[in-house]
Amino acid sequence: MGDALVLMEGIDKSFPGVHALDNCRFELQAGEVHALVGENGAGKSTLMKVLAGIYRKDAGRILYLGQEVEIDSPRAAQDLGISMIHQELNLMPHLTVAQNVFIGREPRHGAPFWLDERAINQETQKLFDMMHLRLDPRTKVADLTVAKQQMVEIAKALSFNSQALIMDEPTAALTEAEIDELFRIIRHLRNEGVGVVHISHRLEELKQISDRVTVMRDGRYIDTVQTQETSVESIISMMVGRTIYESSPELPENPDQEVLLEVRDLNRGTELQDINLRLKRGEILGLAGLMGAGRTEVARAIFGADSIDSGEILVRGQPVHIRTPRDAVEQGIGYLSEDRKRYGLALGMDVEANVVLAAFDKFLRALGWVKQAETRRTAQKYVEALAIKTPSMQQRVKNLSGGNQQKVVVGKWLAANTDVLIFDEPTRGIDVGAKSEIYKLLNDLARQGKGIIMISSDLPEILRMSHRVIVMCEGRITGELSSQEATQEAIMKLATQRGEIVADGGTGANSREAQFA
Amino acid sequence: MTTDTTELTTSVRERRALFRSDATQKLLAFAGLIALFVVFSLASPNFFKFDNIIGILLATAVNGVLALGVTFIIVTAGIDLSVGTVMTLSAVMSGVFVTFWGLPIPLGILAGLATGALAGFVNGIAISKMKIPPFIATLGMMMMAKGLALVISGAKPIYFNDTPAFRQMAMGSLIGRVIPGFEVPNAVFILFGAAIIANLILTKTVLGRYTVALGSNEEATRLSGVNVDAWKTAVYALGGAFSGLGGVLMAARLNSAQPALGAGYELDAIAAVVIGGTSLSGGEGTILGTVIGAFIISVLTNGLRILSVPQEWQMVVTGAIVILAVYADIIRRRNQ
C-alpha cells in the first residue's frame, strides 16, 4: 500500500477554555469507509473540520498523498479533493439542486458575470447519473426530503472530484430505507476509490458500512481497529473508557399501590383509540411501539396539548378536566418532550431561570416582582439534587451538554411539584456515558414516589427501566407486559400486531432492533 | 434497490405544489393592482385619464427605483434604512457637480450614482466586515447622509436652472417626439429600464445568484467557498447605486436637489418590496413583484387623493395594505 490518502498527525486545537483536540491522529486510505466514533464532545467533528479547512489547527501536520499540506480554508480543502458534508446540511433552500451543487464556481457564458444555467443543470445531471440517482436538477432544495438533500450534498462534494469525503452523522435524520440508499451510494463511491469518513453515533451501523473504525475520547485518539475483527461492545468500552451496559435491570422496589394517574377509554380521531392505562406511585411504565404508533400522542393528550374526543383522566382517583398544559401542570403532570431544545428549555436563558419557569407563579410577589433569593435557592437545590454539571446558576442552558440539559428539564418539573412525569425519548441525543446517569435519575425519582411514563424507541432501554411495558400499534394499546414477561421479541410482536412479525434473529439483528422505531 | 419511481413522483408533485403557490403570490399582487385600477376608475371619472396615469407612472419612478435596490438587500435577509437620505445626498452631489462646478450633465448623473454606490459600499463594509447588524449600520448611514446633504448644500436647495437639459433628461419625452401626443416622460422608461437590468442581475448573473444564496443560507454559502463579505458589500453597493439613480430622477423632477427631502422614502420603498412578495427572512423575491408593489402604493395614493381622502387617511390605508400583504404571504406559506 502506498501513501495514505490523508494522514493527520499530532493535531492540536484549543478553543477558549476547551482543549478540543490533543495530539490527535487519523489516517484515511483511498477506497475505504472509515468510521470515526466517540461520545459527544470527543472531538470527532472538530478533527474533521480541521481537515476540511473550517478550523485552523494549532499544531500538528496533515499529509495528503504523502505531501504535507496547509489547509486554511474550505476552498483549500476542496481544491485538494477533501469535502465535508455537515450534520446541519449546508444548502440554500431557495436555490435549485443544480444551483446548490455549483454554488461558488458557476460556469459562465459570454461575460465573466453571466451565469450559464444550462451548463449548471447538465453537469449536475451527469453527477446524478453517475450516482444512479434520479432527481431533477431544477428542483428547489426546499422541496426535497432530508435524505434527498443529503444526496445533493454528496453530488456537490463529488463535483469537486473529491477523493476524501467526510460525512458528519449522515444517518441521524434518515429512515431505514433512506439509510440503505445512502449506504448504497457510499459503497459505490468506495469502489470508485474515494475515501469516506463516516462520523456516527449509531454503532450498529459500523458493521454494515465501515472497513475500519477510529475511536476518540475526550479530544484524544484512542485506537484504530478493523471493523470485522472488533465487537461493538469493545468499541463502546473504548469510547467510554469503561463498560457501560449492565445487562440486568436495576429496578427499584415498587410496593406502593396508589394509582397516581388513570386514563379511561381515551379517543382522539384516528390517532388514539380506546386508550386505557394506570400508573402507580413509584412505578416506571414503559411505553413502547414503532414510530407513529401514537405514543407521543397519548402523552400530549394526557398533558392537554391536544384535545381529546372522549375519555376520562383521573389523577389520584379524582376525575379531572385537562384542556391545556397549564391544567396538567396544576394537576402535577409534567411532560418532557423528546425535542428538549424546542419544547423543554429556554436555551438562551440561564439554569436558574429554566428551573423555576414552570412554577414561576410561586416566585412572584405582588405586581409581578420576582423573589430572586427564592429562585436562586430553588435552582441551587435542584442543581445539587440532580447533580447538574454547570459552572453556575447563571450558565446559559445552551452551553450545557445534552444530559445536563435533560436534567434541567427534570429540575423544572420537580420545582413545579410534579408527581407524574412523562418522559418522551429521555436519552435521545445523549452520550452513552450520560445515559446511565439519566437512568439512575429515573430510578431515583421512582423511588421518591413519582410515577413515570417513559416513551422510548430504544428496546434495551425499555427492558432495563420499566416495571411494566405497554405496547402500542396504530393508535391502540396492543398489549401489556410485566418486567418478567417483557423481551425484545414479545414487544416486537405486539408493536407489529397488525403487520408481519419481524423474525431477524442472531446478533446482526441488534442493529434493526436498536433503532426499530 | 428501486425506490426511484416513488422519489420521482414525490419530487414532481412537490414541484407542482410549489409552482402553484408561487404563481398565486404573483397573481395576488397583480390582481390587487388591477382591482385598485378598476375600483378607482369606477369611483372617479378623473382617475383613468392619460394625464393622471402619467402622474402615477411618474410618481412611481423614484420610489420604484429605490425599491429595486432595496429588493436585492432584502433578498439577502438584510435591510437598508438609508435609501431615502442617500437618495437626497446623491441628488445634492449631482447638483454640486452640475450647478456649483459647472461640469457636464453626464458627469453630474454619474456623480449621483457613484455617491449612492459609495454610501452602499460603506454600508456593506460596516455590515460584512465590522459585523454591525444591517438595521443599525444603515440607520447610521441614514443619519450621516441626511447630515452630509445639509452640510454640502448649505441647507439650501440647489437648482438646475442653468442646465435645463438635466430636467429634460427625466421629464422630457423622447417617445413623445416619435409618437406625437404620447408624451410619456423618460423617467418612466428609466424605471422600466432599471427594472429590466435589475431583473437580469438578480436572475442571470453571479451577483444575483449570491444575493439569493446569502439570504437563503449565509453560512452554507460561506462554506461553499464564496467570499461572502465581498459579495454582500457588492449587494449593498448595488442597492446604493439604485438610490443614487433615484436621487438623480428626484432632482430632475423637482429641477432641484432638496436637501431636506428624502427621510421616509426608505419606508415606502421597503413597503413596495414587501407588498411585492419579497420575504424579509431572505432568499426569495422578484423584481416584477417589487415593481407591482411600487405601483400599488402609487395607485393607492393617487386614487385616494382623487377621491379627496385626506392625506392622513391615505397613510392609514397604505399601512394596512402592507400588513395585509405580508399576512397573505404568511397564510400562503402556512398552507404550503
Side-chain angles (χ1 to χ4, degrees):
Chain A
M1 205 180 294
D3 286 316
L5 182 62
V6 172
L7 179 62
M8 304 175 80
E9 280 179 336
I11 306 292
D12 241 77
K13 175 75 191 172
S14 290
F15 296 106
V18 192
H19 196 176
L21 297 175
D22 181 4
N23 193 19
C24 279
R25 177 195 159 78
F26 185 76
E27 184 209 79
L28 178 69
Q29 294 288 345
E32 77 162 340
V33 177
H34 196 138
L36 183 57
V37 299
E39 294 188 21
N40 279 337
K44 300 162 292 186
S45 296
T46 310
L47 182 64
M48 287 302 113
K49 283 180 178 171
V50 167
L51 182 58
I54 294 161
Y55 294 150
R56 303 283 275 286
K57 59 183 169 9
D58 298 338
R61 60 185 200 138
I62 301 174
L63 276 74
Y64 188 79
L65 291 170
Q67 299 286 317
E68 182 158 355
V69 288
E70 212 37 66
I71 302 175
D72 51 11
S73 70
R75 201 35 164 313
Q78 284 168 350
D79 289 345
L80 283 172
I82 300 169
S83 290
M84 179 159 180
I85 297 173
H86 297 267
Q87 206 172 344
E88 315 80 33
L89 292 176
N90 275 293
L91 295 169
M92 282 59 78
H94 298 93
L95 297 180
T96 70
V97 168
Q99 288 167 353
N100 266 282
V101 169
F102 279 95
I103 188 81
R105 60 215 158 91
E106 294 81 359
R108 312 297 158 89
H109 175 75
F113 51 81
W114 211 253
L115 297 170
D116 189 348
E117 204 68 28
R118 181 189 298 203
I120 292 173
N121 286 329
Q122 278 174 354
E123 291 301 311
T124 307
Q125 187 62 55
K126 274 188 208 158
L127 286 167
F128 287 165
D129 290 346
M130 205 178 80
M131 292 165 67
H132 301 288
L133 180 68
R134 285 179 67 184
L135 186 62
D136 186 339
R138 287 164 300 182
T139 317
K140 262 199 188 180
V141 164
D143 299 333
L144 299 177
T145 60
V146 174
K148 276 285 169 293
Q149 293 186 7
Q150 212 156 45
M151 299 298 168
V152 174
E153 288 258 32
I154 294 174
K156 181 173 165 185
L158 293 180
S159 72
F160 285 100
N161 285 321
S162 292
Q163 293 307 302
L165 183 61
I166 305 159
M167 308 183 79
D168 195 353
E169 302 228 17
T171 56
L174 305 192
T175 67
E176 196 103 11
E178 290 166 340
I179 291 173
D180 286 342
E181 172 76 2
L182 176 71
F183 283 179
R184 180 184 70 75
I185 288 180
I186 291 180
R187 286 191 195 99
H188 176 72
L189 295 175
R190 174 183 62 189
N191 296 342
E192 300 280 308
V194 176
V196 180
V197 182
H198 180 84
I199 302 178
S200 185
H201 257 126
R202 295 190 179 179
L203 299 179
E204 62 273 10
E205 284 172 6
L206 300 185
K207 293 277 180 194
Q208 289 181 53
I209 191 71
S210 73
D211 302 306
R212 289 196 295 166
V213 182
T214 289
V215 182
M216 291 182 70
R217 186 173 71 227
D218 300 331
R220 274 188 293 270
Y221 170 83
I222 302 300
D223 201 2
T224 301
V225 295
Q226 299 288 332
T227 311
Q228 291 316 319
E229 297 163 9
T230 317
S231 69
V232 170
E233 287 70 28
S234 64
I235 291 173
I236 291 176
S237 63
M238 276 192 274
M239 279 168 59
V240 299
R242 58 191 182 276
T243 319
I244 199 77
Y245 277 123
E246 311 96 291
S247 48
S248 60
E250 30 168 278
L251 293 172
E253 287 301 307
N254 177 29
D256 209 319
Q257 292 302 311
E258 187 199 349
V259 175
L260 272 183
L261 174 76
E262 184 170 357
V263 175
R264 288 185 189 159
D265 299 323
L266 190 93
N267 281 285
R268 171 181 159 80
T270 53
E271 272 177 5
L272 298 176
Q273 291 159 26
D274 300 325
I275 302 297
N276 284 285
L277 61 82
R278 293 151 73 89
L279 176 70
K280 282 178 274 187
R281 193 175 276 286
E283 182 181 45
I284 300 178
L285 175 64
L287 197 48
L290 297 165
M291 198 83 99
R295 297 166 303 168
T296 297
E297 286 74 8
V298 168
R300 289 179 60 90
I302 294 173
F303 191 57
D306 292 333
S307 63
I308 57 174
D309 299 338
S310 65
E312 214 180 350
I313 296 172
L314 293 86
V315 175
R316 289 176 221 92
Q318 300 298 313
V320 292
H321 286 285
I322 296 177
R323 288 202 189 78
T324 63
R326 196 188 165 80
D327 296 340
V329 173
E330 272 168 18
Q331 295 300 334
I333 301 173
Y335 171 60
L336 293 86
S337 161
E338 60 182 311
D339 195 345
R340 291 183 293 279
K341 294 185 177 175
R342 267 180 73 189
Y343 302 115
L345 293 165
L347 285 175
M349 290 170 77
D350 60 28
V351 172
E352 180 180 327
N354 271 283
V355 168
V356 299
L357 201 58
F360 211 49
D361 290 351
K362 287 201 293 188
F363 301 100
L364 295 180
R365 283 185 232 279
L367 298 173
W369 202 262
V370 181
K371 300 177 192 166
Q372 286 231 316
E374 193 115 339
T375 60
R376 181 72 42 93
R377 215 172 41 75
T378 306
Q380 189 72 48
K381 182 174 125 195
Y382 289 108
V383 164
E384 279 163 18
L386 301 172
I388 299 174
K389 283 194 207 104
T390 171
S392 78
M393 298 298 109
Q394 273 62 53
Q395 176 71 280
R396 289 183 182 200
V397 169
K398 68 177 168 195
N399 296 330
L400 300 184
S401 71
N404 282 304
Q405 288 183 350
Q406 184 67 286
K407 289 182 181 177
V408 173
V409 186
V410 174
K412 180 176 91 172
W413 289 117
L414 295 182
N417 267 337
T418 312
D419 267 351
V420 176
L421 289 161
I422 309 174
F423 285 84
D424 201 344
E425 303 283 0
T427 61
R428 176 167 290 177
I430 287 179
D431 297 345
V432 182
K435 270 188 188 178
S436 59
E437 276 199 62
I438 297 287
Y439 295 154
K440 187 171 160 299
L441 175 63
L442 289 179
N443 285 334
D444 287 347
L445 292 170
R447 216 172 273 128
Q448 289 159 23
K450 308 286 182 193
I452 294 173
I453 298 177
M454 184 184 75
I455 300 172
S456 177
S457 300
D458 187 349
L459 276 185
E461 179 170 297
I462 287 269
L463 294 174
R464 177 181 164 171
M465 296 303 300
S466 314
H467 293 103
R468 269 187 310 141
V469 181
I470 284 181
V471 189
M472 292 187 66
C473 177
E474 295 176 355
R476 293 165 301 123
I477 289 178
T478 49
E480 182 182 322
L481 303 162
S482 69
S483 61
Q484 289 79 34
E485 298 163 328
T487 60
Q488 299 207 1
E489 291 73 24
I491 293 175
M492 261 304 205
K493 201 169 160 182
L494 290 168
T496 55
Q497 204 159 63
R498 271 268 177 88
E500 221 173 313
I501 294 153
V502 181
D504 196 347
T507 46
N510 279 334
S511 59
R512 294 298 146 119
E513 284 159 5
Q515 45 159 291
F516 87 120
Chain B
M1 208 63 51
T2 50
T3 43
D4 287 353
T5 39
T6 48
E7 286 156 10
L8 195 69
T9 44
T10 9
S11 108
V12 167
R13 197 179 58 231
E14 282 158 353
R15 273 183 63 207
R16 278 198 197 123
L18 182 82
F19 173 74
R20 223 185 299 127
S21 73
D22 260 11
T24 353
Q25 170 65 13
K26 293 257 178 53
L27 222 64
L28 211 69
F30 195 64
L33 182 58
I34 301 293
L36 282 177
F37 253 92
V38 172
V39 168
F40 285 130
S41 301
L42 293 176
S44 163
N46 297 325
F47 181 79
F48 205 75
K49 288 262 172 64
F50 184 76
D51 282 353
N52 192 47
I53 300 298
I54 295 298
I56 290 172
L57 288 168
L58 209 50
T60 314
V62 171
N63 184 38
V65 166
L66 295 182
L68 292 177
V70 175
T71 307
F72 284 87
I73 286 157
I74 292 184
V75 169
T76 67
I79 194 79
D80 191 347
L81 298 178
S82 70
V83 288
T85 57
V86 166
M87 171 191 83
T88 308
L89 180 62
S90 303
V92 167
M93 285 312 288
S94 285
V96 168
F97 268 58
V98 175
T99 302
F100 285 6
W101 295 346
L103 293 167
I105 287 171
L107 269 184
I109 293 170
L110 219 58
L113 293 178
T115 304
L118 184 66
F121 179 78
V122 174
N123 279 334
I125 293 290
I127 290 158
S128 66
K129 291 289 179 200
M130 295 159 72
K131 307 288 173 214
I132 297 170
F135 189 93
I136 304 299
T138 59
L139 180 71
M141 179 55 73
M142 172 171 106
M143 294 164 153
M144 282 177 8
K146 186 176 181 181
L148 282 174
L150 288 167
V151 170
I152 292 169
S153 65
K156 285 193 288 284
I158 306 173
Y159 289 96
F160 295 90
N161 289 334
D162 302 334
T163 49
F166 187 80
R167 183 180 153 78
Q168 280 305 111
M169 177 257 317
M171 301 306 288
S173 177
L174 279 178
I175 196 154
R177 278 190 228 163
V178 182
I179 315 169
F182 192 66
E183 303 278 339
V184 181
N186 296 339
V188 175
F189 292 97
I190 292 172
L191 168 65
F192 287 133
I196 288 166
I197 290 170
N199 192 44
L200 287 175
I201 294 174
L202 188 59
T203 59
K204 302 285 180 202
T205 70
V206 180
L207 178 58
R209 177 62 41 82
Y210 295 161
T211 303
V212 178
L214 278 171
S216 191
N217 187 344
E218 184 171 332
E219 183 60 13
T221 311
R222 192 177 70 81
L223 290 176
S224 303
V226 174
N227 188 342
V228 166
D229 290 355
W231 287 105
K232 195 186 267 184
T233 306
V235 172
Y236 277 89
L238 178 71
F242 277 106
S243 300
L245 179 59
V248 172
L249 288 178
M250 190 73 175
R253 197 178 147 199
L254 301 175
N255 197 31
S256 61
Q258 299 281 348
L261 214 70
Y265 275 65
E266 64 281 344
L267 300 180
D268 276 348
I270 293 168
V273 174
V274 167
I275 290 174
T278 296
S279 159
L280 279 175
S281 47
E284 56 184 306
T286 60
I287 295 299
L288 181 62
T290 294
V291 173
I292 292 174
F295 272 112
I296 285 180
I297 290 182
S298 355
V299 168
L300 207 58
T301 314
N302 179 286
L304 293 174
R305 185 167 357 121
I306 283 185
L307 296 180
S308 311
V309 175
Q311 204 187 349
E312 296 78 4
W313 282 104
Q314 294 172 23
M315 290 188 226
V316 175
V317 173
T318 314
I321 295 279
V322 170
I323 290 169
L324 283 175
V326 175
Y327 184 59
D329 196 43
I330 288 169
I331 297 283
R332 175 183 71 99
R333 272 165 224 276
R334 198 181 293 157
N335 294 340
Q336 211 161 318

